[in-house]
């Protein structure tokens, strides 16, 4: 399996003699979730038999870690993606990027009018 996204050590993981790993065990092997992870939006891309396409399976890792859902089995050819959160801090920063120049221009205009 290959784990990518907001985990501490993304990359390929071997199963040894086992047929599958639990998703939480895989994340643990990767050092855990990153600070900006959105575990409730995790995706498993699983190969479809006899083809090159993959099925996308949404998994709420947060609910698994909270004990509300059972762990999810990861198979050897799965690709697991833990996305980055688009949290409030990022939204505020993006808004400031657009608002700050407008406020600065207005203040400059008012200062020059006096």
């Amino acid at each position: 399996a290959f784990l990518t996204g907001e985990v501490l050590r993304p990359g390929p993981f071997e199963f040894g003699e086992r047929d599958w790993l639990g998703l939480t065990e895989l994340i643990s092997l990767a050092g855990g979730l990153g600070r900006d992870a959105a575990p409730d939006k995790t995706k498993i891309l699983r190969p479809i038999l006899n083809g090159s396409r993959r099925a996308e399976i949404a998994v709420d890792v947060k609910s698994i870690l909270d004990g509300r859902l059972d762990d999810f089995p990861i198979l050897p050819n799965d690709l697991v993606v833990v996305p980055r959160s688009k949290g409030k801090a990022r939204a505020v920063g993006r808004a400031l990027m657009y608002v700050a120049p407008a406020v600065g221009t207005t203040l400059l205009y008012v200062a020059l009018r006096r």
Side-chain angles (χ1 to χ4, degrees):
F2 194 90
L3 178 59
T4 187
E6 288 299 309
V7 292
L8 296 182
R9 290 186 305 273
F13 291 88
E14 297 295 323
F15 287 55
E17 298 295 315
R18 296 187 277 182
D19 294 330
W20 62 277
L21 284 176
L23 178 55
T24 56
E25 183 178 1
L26 182 65
I27 290 171
S28 179
L29 289 171
L33 296 169
R35 186 174 57 104
D36 295 330
D40 56 323
K41 294 180 173 62
T42 299
K43 301 268 189 258
I44 314 289
L45 301 174
R46 180 164 288 168
I48 297 173
L49 291 177
N50 300 325
S52 60
R53 297 183 36 199
R54 290 182 179 259
E56 183 176 303
I57 306 164
V59 181
D60 185 349
V61 174
K62 185 174 184 324
S63 292
I64 294 171
L65 294 173
D66 291 345
R68 291 181 278 140
L69 292 176
D70 291 334
D71 205 352
F72 191 87
I74 301 300
L75 303 178
N77 292 321
D78 286 351
L79 170 62
V80 180
V81 180
V82 179
R84 180 180 296 255
S85 173
K86 296 179 177 106
K88 291 180 185 175
R90 178 171 283 172
V92 169
R94 192 173 295 125
L96 283 176
M97 184 173 70
Y98 295 108
V99 172
V103 170
T105 303
T106 302
L107 291 175
L108 183 60
Y109 176 76
V110 169
L112 291 175
R113 273 189 72 191
R114 291 183 180 195

